[in-house]
Amino acid sequence: MSPFEKAERIVIKVGTSSLTYDTGMVNLRQIEKLCKIISDIKNSGRQIVLVTSGAIAVGASKMGLNHKPHTIPEKQAAAAVGQCELMYIYDKHFLEYHHKVAQILLTRDIIESDERRTHAVNTMETILAQGVIPVVNENDSIAVDEIRFGDNDTLSAIVAGLVRADGLILLSDIDGLFDSNPHDNPNAKLISRVGKIDGYIESVAGGAGTDRGTGGMATKIAAAKICFDSGCAMAIINSSHLEGLYDLLEGRETGTIFEKE
Ligand code: GLU
């Protein structure tokens, strides 16, 4: 049985490249579908935490920047603009399906400081107990190197541990983990199950992400390690087929499932 069939509390992470077009503008069709499917999964009785990227890309396009922001102030300003645009869109679509959202912006100091971690956990637990969907991102507008997670694959795995989720689902622009790079090798095979992170898995994970997102397969493997440490299962599935969420939760073969042996 897949660990996702019985998972009651699930963290779903969606990346920038899944939420935006190459123009950096929001892929409305995709977000709308995501909100509908998450609402439906929630209606079925499961608890969902959504970890979303996209603030910087959406903000940059909204501000009319014709390049990816490079300087820290530029990125922080873009994140501030984009984060509220993203929340506006999530709020609007989830409300259509009678679900409420709460914005949670985190920095890495919640890991180091017991007090901050306790507050973050208590807030998320209270939000979940009220039936509200926590929508989490890094607090990019104030995050400097010392307190940054850096990528939302890592952030989502840490959040999954904090709320003791049963499963973390990474929605990606790829079907899952392959035994070689499918962009270069047409015979690359999808690895459907991973029970331990060994040298082989690290070596096939490679590194590259897209221009708009920050994570590649390497950050996803790092996330799997964090999940294994906290006893949480993880899956990578393709965001271009969001119904794959149903496949995963109903035990049909899809993507790559990471479950510690
Ligand atoms: N927190 C960043 C944003 O919302 C994205 C980080 C990531 O994609 O991993 O723009």
Side-chain angles (χ1 to χ4, degrees):
M1 188 178 184
S2 151
F4 284 90
E5 274 179 89
K6 51 181 193 294
E8 285 172 11
R9 183 175 283 187
I10 301 158
V11 177
I12 298 176
K13 180 258 172 181
V14 60
T16 302
S17 54
S18 307
L19 289 173
T20 59
Y21 288 108
D22 289 338
T23 57
M25 293 184 79
V26 177
N27 183 332
L28 291 169
R29 187 169 43 178
Q30 180 82 342
I31 294 199
E32 200 170 342
K33 197 167 184 187
L34 179 66
C35 293
K36 182 173 180 179
I37 292 178
I38 290 179
S39 297
D40 195 35
I41 293 171
K42 205 167 170 306
N43 288 352
S44 75
R46 309 202 200 216
Q47 286 183 324
I48 304 285
V49 176
L50 177 62
V51 175
T52 186
S53 302
I56 296 175
V58 169
S61 90
K62 195 170 183 185
M63 289 160 82
L65 299 183
N66 50 12
H67 60 275
K68 197 175 170 186
H70 297 303
T71 64
I72 291 174
E74 235 178 19
K75 281 188 196 163
Q76 297 194 323
V81 173
Q83 181 63 30
C84 75
E85 172 79 4
L86 273 179
M87 286 312 296
Y88 170 74
I89 297 170
Y90 281 126
D91 195 30
K92 188 173 130 173
H93 289 305
F94 277 118
L95 256 187
E96 240 178 87
Y97 303 108
H98 310 289
H99 288 293
K100 298 178 214 91
V101 292
Q103 172 182 265
I104 302 279
L105 298 176
L106 298 174
T107 45
R108 186 176 263 283
D109 46 357
I110 54 152
I111 307 175
E112 280 109 46
S113 153
D114 288 348
E115 197 190 332
R116 282 173 158 264
R117 189 175 56 247
T118 305
H119 285 307
V121 170
N122 289 346
T123 305
M124 286 192 279
E125 288 291 350
T126 307
I127 289 168
L128 285 164
Q130 299 289 330
V132 176
I133 303 170
V135 179
V136 183
N137 195 358
E138 177 151 25
N139 195 350
D140 296 302
S141 295
I142 61 147
V144 286
D145 274 351
E146 304 76 65
I147 54 163
R148 280 185 80 219
F149 292 100
D151 68 86
N152 278 8
D153 292 330
T154 307
L155 171 66
S156 61
I158 288 168
V159 167
L162 290 179
V163 300
R164 297 185 320 279
D166 305 301
L168 165 65
I169 305 172
L170 303 178
L171 291 170
S172 179
D173 51 9
I174 192 162
D175 287 344
L177 178 67
F178 283 82
D179 62 358
S180 65
N181 188 337
H183 297 300
D184 306 332
N185 178 5
N187 298 319
K189 283 195 192 58
L190 183 72
I191 301 172
S192 55
R193 281 273 183 164
V194 175
K196 61 174 186 295
I197 312 293
D198 53 16
Y200 171 70
I201 295 297
E202 305 253 16
S203 72
V204 294
T210 62
D211 189 41
R212 280 167 291 136
T214 48
M217 209 38 85
T219 55
K220 291 176 177 51
I221 299 303
K225 282 189 192 161
I226 298 171
C227 285
F228 280 4
D229 285 346
S230 60
C232 174
M234 191 186 99
I236 302 171
I237 64 169
N238 201 322
S239 64
S240 64
H241 175 64
L242 287 173
E243 285 79 6
L245 285 166
Y246 290 125
D247 293 335
L248 184 66
L249 299 182
E250 290 163 14
R252 290 182 292 278
E253 190 88 349
T254 185
T256 303
I257 295 179
F258 297 76
E259 185 182 25
K260 196 174 182 178
E261 277 170 1

